[in-house]
Amino acid sequence: MFDKLASQPNDPLLALIGLYNADARADKIDLGVGVYRDDLGRTPVLRAVKAAEKQLLETQESKSYVAPEGDRVFLDLLWDLVGGKDTGKFAAGVQTPGGSGALRLASDLFARAGTRRLWLGLPSWPNHAGIFGATGLTVETYPYFDVPTQSVRFASMMKAMTGAQAGDAVLIHASCHNPTGAGLTAAQWQELAAIVAERRLIPLIDSAYQGFGTGIDEDVAGLRQVIKAAPEALVAVSCSKSFGIYRERTGAIFAVAETQTAADIARSNLVTMARTSYSMPPDHGAAVVRTILASETLRSDWVVELNSMRDRLNGLRRELAHALSDGWQLAPQIAEQQGMFSLLPLSESEVLDLRKDHGIYMPTSGRINIAGLKSADIARVASVLKPLLG
Ligand SMILES: Cc1ncc(COP(=O)(O)O)c(C=O)c1O
C-alpha cells in the first residue's frame, strides 16, 4: 500500500529549522520559527508554569481519563479570560490539542452543519487554508494586507464581505495577526462586527496571542465586539504562546450562541467529532493553565511574565523601526504592528540571499519573528535590510 503514496514535502517553516541548525556561522540569526525568545535566544518555561507543574506533581492523584470535553474548570477559566463576563451570550467549550486542534474541530463542525464556504483574509497563517481545505470547505479569499505599503486593505476586505452569503464562515484573527502583525482599529472592528451580523456570517475567531499585543483584555476587545454582534460564533483559543506551553498542545474551541441549548448542541457535536478522531485531549497543559488561572498568586506572576514578553516585543519593534528609519519610509509601521510577526516586502531571491550571504533566516514569504532578534543584532540586521526595503 505504501508504494501507492507520494512522498510529501516537509512543512517549509519546519524545514527552515533544519537549514538554520546546519549553518555553522556563529553570528547566524533565526527570524523564522514562530516561538517567543528572550534576549539570549531561549524559549524559557515561565515561572508560573514551573510552579503550577510543581503543585500538580505533588497533588495529582490519578492519571485516569478526565472527560470527553476535557477539563471543565480550565474551560470556564479560559472562557472568562477570552470572552469576559458580559458577552451577553452563552458559550460551551471543548478542550483541544492546541489552537490547531480547535481550528480543525471548528472546521469539522462547519462541514457537519453544511457550511460550504469559509472566507480567509490573505496573507494568513499558512496552516489555516490547509486545515479548512482538509474538511472539504471551499476557502474563499479576500485581501487583508498590502505588503508593499504595509497597510490593512480594509475597504477591499469589506467589499469582499458583501459577496459572502448568509451561513458562510469567516476566519478572523483576534490580535497580533500572523504573519503581518497588522490589526484593525476600534472603528474597523465595529464595522466588521456589523457586517458579520448583518450578513449573518459565522465568525471563527482565532485567538493565539492574547497578551502579546496591547494587553490581556485589549487584545480580545475586537473579538468580544464580534461575539456580541453575531448570533453565533466559534472561538478557537491557543494557550501555546500566552503561557509558553507550545509542546503541551493546549487550547479550546468555544461555541457561542444566544441560548445555552444551542451552545450545548454545538458542543455535543464537537465532542463526538473529537471522540472519533483522538478521543480526548492531553491533560497536562490544561491542568497547568487551570492551576495558574485559579490561583491569585500564580495568575499575577503569569501576568507579570506575559507583560514582560510583550514589553520585549514592543521594545524590539521600536528599536528595529528606528534602525531602519533612515533607509525605509515605512519603518514606523514595524513599531505600530503587534505581536511576534511582521511581513517584509522582500522577494524570494532576496530572502535566499539573506540566508546565504548573511546567515539571516526567515521563510520565503519575508515574515520575520521579531522575538528572534537580539538587541545586539538589530544594527546589523537593519543595515542588511535597508538597501532591500528602501
Ligand atoms: C494564527 C495562529 N493560529 C493558531 C495557531 C496554532 O497554535 P498551536 O496549535 O500551536 O496552539 C498558530 C500557531 O502558530 C497561529 O499563529
Side-chain angles (χ1 to χ4, degrees):
M1 178 187 81
F2 297 159
D3 61 3
K4 298 201 181 80
L5 301 171
S7 173
Q8 299 295 308
N10 286 333
D11 181 298
L13 264 178
L14 301 181
L16 193 63
I17 303 175
L19 292 177
Y20 175 81
N21 289 341
D23 188 330
R25 283 171 285 190
D27 61 352
K28 62 187 176 178
I29 297 173
D30 179 11
L31 304 181
V33 187
V35 297
Y36 176 82
R37 293 186 199 280
D38 65 16
D39 205 48
L40 297 173
R42 299 170 312 188
T43 304
V45 181
L46 301 186
R47 281 189 309 272
V49 168
K50 276 277 184 211
E53 288 183 315
K54 202 161 163 235
Q55 265 188 40
L56 287 168
L57 191 66
E58 281 160 7
T59 58
Q60 196 173 56
E61 282 174 350
S62 175
K63 293 282 185 194
S64 173
Y65 295 119
V66 180
E69 69 273 36
D71 182 328
R72 285 193 173 188
V73 182
F74 158 79
L75 289 166
D76 288 347
L77 289 164
L78 188 63
W79 182 246
D80 277 354
L81 193 74
V82 177
K85 297 231 183 272
D86 60 349
T87 51
K89 292 279 158 64
F90 296 87
V94 174
Q95 185 191 317
T96 55
S100 304
L103 291 165
R104 177 58 196 249
L105 274 194
S107 192
D108 283 327
L109 190 71
F110 284 136
R112 181 178 273 198
T115 300
R116 298 218 193 309
R117 302 200 299 180
L118 179 137
W119 292 80
L120 181 65
L122 292 185
S124 199
W125 181 47
N127 209 18
H128 276 147
I131 290 173
F132 303 128
T135 65
L137 296 178
T138 302
V139 176
E140 300 280 353
T141 59
Y142 62 87
Y144 177 75
F145 183 76
D146 185 53
V147 185
T149 57
Q150 293 285 297
S151 55
V152 172
R153 300 182 65 182
F154 191 70
S156 312
M157 174 176 162
M158 286 296 106
K159 191 156 170 254
M161 291 285 151
T162 60
Q165 290 164 11
D168 283 0
V170 55
L171 188 282
I172 299 171
H173 293 239
S175 63
C176 304
H177 187 272
N178 181 3
T180 71
L184 302 181
T185 63
Q188 288 173 336
W189 272 110
Q190 196 70 54
E191 239 183 280
L192 177 61
I195 200 162
V196 162
E198 181 193 303
R199 302 198 70 81
R200 301 192 75 78
L201 310 179
I202 306 172
L204 165 56
I205 310 176
D206 183 0
S207 179
Y209 298 92
Q210 189 175 1
F212 273 44
T214 311
I216 293 176
D217 284 318
E218 292 86 340
D219 289 355
V220 284
L223 171 156
R224 290 174 182 173
Q225 249 172 295
V226 174
I227 286 175
K228 274 204 178 115
E232 291 179 348
L234 290 169
V235 179
V237 184
S238 166
C239 297
S240 303
K241 284 88 184 177
S242 307
F243 292 84
I245 50 171
Y246 307 83
R247 67 173 68 165
E248 300 299 350
R249 312 307 304 133
T250 308
I253 179 77
F254 293 95
V256 190
E258 281 175 336
T259 65
Q260 191 64 59
T261 311
D264 286 345
I265 290 173
R267 171 165 54 193
S268 70
N269 280 272
L270 292 164
V271 163
T272 54
M273 289 182 304
R275 181 75 175 144
T276 53
S277 177
Y278 52 83
S279 187
M280 282 177 216
D283 173 64
H284 182 72
V288 165
V289 170
R290 187 231 312 134
T291 306
I292 293 172
L293 294 179
S295 148
E296 228 173 88
T297 332
L298 294 187
R299 191 186 184 111
S300 45
D301 199 30
W302 166 67
V303 171
V304 169
E305 291 179 283
L306 183 57
N307 290 348
S308 84
M309 290 196 279
R310 179 175 66 248
D311 289 346
R312 173 173 148 72
L313 286 171
N314 290 337
L316 287 168
R317 284 188 173 282
R318 283 191 298 271
E319 280 180 63
L320 182 62
H322 179 71
L324 289 170
S325 61
D326 61 343
W328 187 36
Q329 225 189 343
L330 296 172
Q333 294 300 321
I334 300 294
E336 291 296 311
Q337 292 157 3
Q338 294 200 316
M340 294 213 291
F341 306 114
S342 283
L343 190 62
L344 300 178
L346 296 171
S347 67
E348 184 168 339
S349 68
E350 287 170 334
V351 168
L352 297 178
D353 285 347
L354 285 169
R355 276 185 216 166
K356 183 165 59 71
D357 300 337
H358 303 282
I360 298 175
Y361 284 76
M362 66 185 75
T364 50
S365 63
R367 187 191 80 168
I368 53 168
N369 174 12
I370 298 287
L373 288 166
K374 298 184 181 115
S375 281
D377 293 334
I378 287 183
R380 180 163 76 92
V381 170
S383 72
V384 170
L385 287 178
K386 263 188 282 192
L388 304 175
L389 299 173

